[in-house]
Amino acid sequence: MAEQPETYTFGELMQNAGKCQLELFEVYKSSIGLINELKNRSKVYMNMLSDIEDGLLSSNNGENSIESNLARLTKNIQTFNEIIGDKSEAFTEIFDKMHQLYDQAISIFQGAEGELTKLIEARKQLLFLVALIRKYKYKINSLQLMNNALMSLSSDLDKAKDAYKSNLIQLSTAMTSAIEDVDDLVDKIENVN
């Protein structure tokens, strides 16, 4: 005999979905620092190379700082490659759970006292979440563009290149899917009877 799935009330579903949102914010906070560090380090390295090319910095004088910056950039990319897969997987898992919980809550919405208020609050939180996801996706896209140039300039980054590009693509795809799903949830909330 198959087990009956647990049934939750509207309030329980909304509360659990809210907890998932808090978990998503934690995943975001724990990975955005790594993204920012990568972006800043890449920008510094590209500026150094540009300064040498423009004659503003001698390649002899700047080599130590270029080499040290390249070493830090390479380490940042390796760290990114080691950590970001788990972060992306955690984001997707938590996001899917949150989406399912909100979807279930919307499907059993009855218009009882306080339910509409909870949905409106959830809508506001979802719009904030999608703004964060868009910001995160923008940073990922910026890294993709910046590092396409970097990867072609440095043979030292060759070892990490394939995993790095794959991770950036995976993140961008997950963020695009999340944006579409949040937009879908917001539409459902706005059209609830």
Side-chain angles (χ1 to χ4, degrees):
M1 184 168 141
E3 279 188 40
Q4 291 276 330
E6 285 189 56
T7 57
Y8 293 102
T9 66
F10 177 85
E12 290 169 334
L13 290 168
M14 294 297 288
Q15 184 177 16
N16 290 337
K19 288 177 185 174
C20 288
Q21 268 189 284
L22 292 175
E23 290 177 39
L24 286 175
F25 291 133
E26 290 303 314
V27 171
Y28 170 83
K29 285 193 295 189
S30 69
S31 61
I32 197 66
L34 183 60
I35 299 289
N36 287 337
E37 175 64 23
L38 249 174
K39 188 175 177 191
N40 291 337
R41 180 70 49 212
S42 298
K43 191 182 292 186
V44 167
Y45 184 67
M46 288 185 74
N47 285 338
M48 288 175 145
L49 292 177
S50 176
D51 287 349
I52 288 174
E53 189 175 293
D54 292 342
L56 300 174
L57 186 66
S58 163
S59 60
N60 294 336
N61 294 342
E63 215 164 288
N64 285 339
S65 63
I66 287 175
E67 289 300 319
S68 110
N69 193 62
L70 179 59
R72 286 187 296 225
L73 177 61
T74 303
K75 183 166 176 40
N76 286 140
I77 289 173
Q78 289 168 344
T79 302
F80 176 84
N81 284 341
E82 291 167 5
I83 294 173
I84 207 64
D86 291 339
K87 298 284 183 196
S88 179
E89 192 174 300
F91 177 88
T92 302
E93 185 179 306
I94 296 165
F95 184 87
D96 288 347
K97 182 178 177 185
M98 180 202 70
H99 185 270
Q100 181 183 13
L101 289 166
Y102 275 133
D103 223 14
Q104 288 175 345
I106 292 166
S107 72
I108 64 169
F109 174 79
Q110 305 251 319
E113 186 176 334
E115 285 187 354
L116 186 58
T117 303
K118 287 179 182 178
L119 277 180
I120 291 170
E121 182 60 31
R123 179 187 173 276
K124 187 167 58 171
Q125 291 173 357
L126 286 168
L127 290 173
F128 177 72
L129 176 64
V130 83
L132 279 180
I133 293 171
R134 286 181 195 280
K135 181 178 176 183
Y136 193 81
K137 185 176 179 344
Y138 172 77
K139 288 181 184 238
I140 297 297
N141 290 345
S142 175
L143 275 176
Q144 285 177 306
L145 293 173
M146 188 181 306
N147 289 306
N148 282 341
L150 272 181
M151 297 298 176
S152 65
L153 295 174
S154 175
S155 59
D156 294 341
L157 297 174
D158 277 346
K159 293 176 186 171
K161 179 172 45 175
D162 292 337
Y164 182 60
K165 285 183 176 183
S166 174
N167 284 328
L168 288 174
I169 290 169
Q170 179 185 357
L171 273 176
S172 183
T173 303
M175 296 305 111
T176 300
S177 176
I179 289 168
E180 290 171 0
D181 288 346
V182 169
D183 287 343
D184 178 55
L185 279 174
V186 168
D187 284 345
K188 286 180 180 177
I189 289 171
E190 289 173 348
N191 293 314
V192 79
N193 298 1

